[in-house]
Amino acid sequence: MVPGARLVLLGKQGAGKGTQCVRLARHYVIPHISTGEIFRNAVKLGTEFGKRAKEFMDAGELVPDDVVVGVVAERLGRDDVKVRGLLLDGFPRNVHQSEALEGLLPPRGIDLVIDLEVPTEVVLKRLSSRRVCVNCETNYGVDNPPSIDGKCDDCGDRVIQREDDTEAAIQRRLFLYEEQTAPLIAWYMGKDKLVAVDGVGSPDEVTFRLTRAIDLRLRNV
Ligand code: ADP
Ligand code: ZN
């Protein structure tokens, strides 16, 4: 893949998007930009902005578009993105956000959008067992628990259930995904920027499929 590529990874919550984004960002040495992570950091810092975002997040609602777009615009203005490209995780989440994104990255916009496909039944099973490190955000689950119960393998901090992983919030996020995010698949397909990748399998298998798909599509970018 050429340096400076601009990628988006789309997928339901629990599809393994976060884990795969961390791996892809390392593999291609491109900045990983996760709106969920930006919001969670603001919540931790206790800023006014974080307090407002937390109410939406805990309810499984989307943070209002103008707020999200503002945050992303600020992040995309930094030099690393211009030089190294980017991998977006959790943004865009609806057509309005994807239109705004094209405006932020003139002239060619995004190069490739990868839809990480995982059936809803599988995602629900993964989410009920999802645990996350409070410090470095490494994800764990029944298939990949930390080696010491409740303790992160990477940094040693506490591994807990995410505060917004309640049953009601999970259902609401899946509903909003179908209603608002899934239409982006057709939207990017219409621009010939979409590739679908099967997200069911071991994390290594899925990473292999992703890099293969990206390398094939971006040979000529
Ligand atoms: P997921 O659990 O689906 O991986 P994220 O970690 O990406 O979710 O985001 C957590 C929460 O942050 C979302 O439920 C939502 O409230 C908010 N959020 C993140 N990205 C966006 C976005 N692009 N638009 C609106 N809200 C967002
Ligand atoms: Zn950790």
Side-chain angles (χ1 to χ4, degrees):
M1 194 185 64
V2 295
R6 299 156 170 182
L7 310 175
V8 172
L9 197 60
L10 277 185
K12 300 179 183 113
Q13 50 157 334
K17 208 166 25 87
T19 306
Q20 294 299 335
C21 278
V22 170
R23 289 166 167 231
L24 291 176
R26 274 188 205 149
H27 180 87
Y28 293 116
V29 200
I30 48 178
H32 169 202
I33 302 176
S34 156
T35 43
E37 191 182 325
I38 293 174
F39 293 144
R40 282 188 290 277
N41 281 336
V43 171
K44 264 188 225 159
L45 289 172
T47 60
E48 240 350 274
F49 166 70
K51 281 179 201 151
R52 265 194 296 146
K54 188 173 191 304
E55 287 176 29
F56 292 99
M57 292 164 77
D58 286 351
E61 297 296 333
L62 293 179
V63 174
D65 285 340
D66 54 338
V67 177
V68 186
V69 171
V71 163
V72 172
E74 199 245 18
R75 180 62 186 88
L76 297 194
R78 292 203 220 145
D79 288 343
D80 60 341
V81 169
K82 284 171 208 146
V83 179
R84 304 229 54 102
L86 64 122
L87 172 61
L88 282 169
D89 170 7
F91 182 93
R93 256 185 167 78
N94 58 37
V95 171
H96 180 249
Q97 291 182 9
S98 49
E99 280 165 354
L101 179 60
E102 297 292 298
L104 292 175
L105 294 172
R108 68 179 203 269
I110 284 292
D111 297 317
L112 187 65
V113 178
I114 307 111
D115 177 30
L116 189 59
E117 296 180 316
V118 178
T120 302
E121 315 88 78
V122 177
V123 150
L124 280 172
K125 252 184 238 143
R126 287 188 189 168
L127 283 172
S128 56
S129 72
R130 173 158 85 172
R131 298 291 182 273
V132 62
C133 171
V134 290
N135 176 45
C136 71
E137 296 217 329
T138 299
N139 277 305
Y140 298 95
V142 268
D143 299 334
N144 60 330
S147 16
I148 301 167
D149 198 32
K151 196 172 161 169
C152 179
D153 289 344
D154 269 13
C155 75
D157 217 321
R158 279 178 312 131
V159 171
I160 57 156
Q161 183 151 32
R162 237 168 72 171
E163 233 174 279
D164 61 350
D165 271 354
T166 61
E167 187 66 35
I170 288 171
Q171 291 295 345
R172 180 68 187 154
R173 290 206 300 264
L174 282 173
F175 172 82
L176 287 176
Y177 174 83
E178 294 301 337
E179 185 189 62
Q180 303 205 25
T181 311
L184 288 182
I185 295 168
W187 197 82
Y188 281 114
M189 214 182 269
K191 294 180 178 289
D192 198 25
K193 288 184 174 178
L194 193 97
V195 61
V197 170
D198 179 6
V200 181
S202 72
D204 286 350
E205 254 164 8
V206 176
T207 306
F208 178 75
R209 284 181 208 143
L210 284 167
T211 52
R212 195 180 42 189
I214 293 167
D215 291 341
L216 265 175
R217 281 293 296 260
L218 290 190
R219 253 186 319 209
N220 304 315
V221 168

